Amino acid sequence: QCSKKLKIPLLASFHTLVPEGVHYLVKNRKIQDFFKSVAWKYLKWYYSHFNTIIVPSNYVKKILLDNGLNNLTVNPTGIDNTIFGKTNNGKKIRSKYKIGTSPLIIHVGRVALEKRLEVLIDAANNILNTHPKSKFMIIGKGPAREHYEQLVQSKGLSKNFIFTGYVDDSDLSNYYSAADVFVFPSDFDTQGLVILESLSMGTPVVARTNSASSEFIE
């Protein structure tokens, strides 16, 4: 109402694929699909009040267009290069977790089902067949930590996986520096700032094709 009375443009941003999080409400797939359709109808109505919707990637722009949202502008979010992009102490992290010179594969982010960490866990044995001393580090906290810890245990991989819990931003660049590869299996994220953080630290990234993250990787 203020925008209309003042006759100035009204902008909004879209950073979370809310309909893809319905598994927090119900487990039944058919009911999930119903909730997704309701969520998209609501979002279409809500965002129709704005002159422009700012989205962080072309991937998200296409999803919104497919669901009837228009007036979209792509404007990726940046990162703080005063924290990331500098030489940091990866050796400190390797020493802390007694990793030594073993290949280290990391994931940084909220530990939740939509991050699809089971993709990395399922791939671990194939990686270990080639690089048997490899270590996998899951950095962050979230509601699915216990679920993924149990999945790792059920596959006999407890000695290879490290769950660090929350890591403060001031120390996070050291973890990127310690890693040989950063893995990001999520197709839920609308951009994935951790991708840019890892690349800024010189750590290569493996991400899903046809995802927002893949736009930032050559």
Side-chain angles (χ1 to χ4, degrees):
Q1 294 298 328
C2 291
S3 174
K4 289 181 180 178
K5 287 183 178 180
L6 296 172
K7 296 181 180 180
I8 58 175
L10 185 61
L11 310 181
S13 62
F14 187 100
H15 288 277
T16 304
L17 289 169
V18 175
E20 298 303 317
V22 295
H23 59 267
Y24 286 112
L25 301 176
V26 292
K27 301 299 181 185
N28 184 284
R29 289 296 179 89
K30 290 184 178 180
I31 300 177
Q32 285 181 5
D33 289 341
F34 169 74
F35 277 117
K36 282 183 183 181
S37 65
V38 172
W40 278 118
K41 288 177 181 178
Y42 170 77
L43 290 172
K44 183 179 179 181
W45 169 82
Y46 176 79
Y47 280 103
S48 67
H49 297 88
F50 297 89
N51 298 92
T52 297
I53 306 168
I54 299 170
V55 298
S57 62
N58 288 298
Y59 173 78
V60 174
K61 179 180 180 179
K62 183 179 184 305
I63 291 175
L64 296 190
L65 286 172
D66 289 345
N67 284 279
L69 282 74
N70 298 295
N71 299 325
L72 306 169
T73 297
V74 177
N75 185 22
T77 307
I79 61 171
D80 187 351
N81 277 331
T82 64
I83 299 175
F84 304 101
K86 296 181 178 181
T87 301
N88 281 272
N89 192 359
K91 290 182 179 179
K92 181 184 80 169
I93 302 304
R94 286 179 168 269
S95 176
K96 177 180 178 179
Y97 293 99
K98 299 179 181 179
I99 295 170
T101 59
S102 297
L104 178 59
I105 301 161
I106 69 168
H107 174 275
V108 177
R110 188 165 176 266
V111 184
L113 294 178
E114 59 267 24
K115 297 295 185 176
R116 300 193 67 179
L117 293 176
E118 67 275 5
V119 174
L120 173 58
I121 295 169
D122 288 342
N125 274 322
N126 286 335
I127 295 169
L128 289 167
N129 285 338
T130 307
H131 303 284
K133 294 183 179 181
S134 295
K135 299 293 183 181
F136 303 83
M137 186 177 284
I138 308 299
I139 302 163
K141 64 178 183 178
R145 174 171 174 171
E146 184 178 350
H147 165 77
Y148 284 122
E149 285 178 330
Q150 290 177 353
L151 182 59
V152 165
Q153 186 176 9
S154 70
K155 292 180 176 291
L157 295 168
S158 296
K159 292 182 179 180
N160 301 97
F161 272 81
I162 301 166
F163 289 81
T164 69
Y166 173 78
V167 170
D168 190 83
D169 282 349
S170 62
D171 200 28
L172 190 54
S173 57
N174 293 324
Y175 284 78
Y176 287 119
S177 292
D180 294 290
V181 180
F182 180 95
V183 176
F184 199 67
S186 170
D187 56 3
F188 171 82
D189 289 72
T190 56
Q191 180 178 342
L193 290 179
V194 288
I195 295 289
L196 301 183
E197 293 172 358
S198 182
L199 293 174
S200 293
M201 296 306 303
T203 303
V205 177
V206 176
R208 299 180 69 91
T209 55
N210 300 318
S211 69
S213 303
S214 65
E215 291 182 26
F216 303 94
I217 302 170
E218 291 183 3

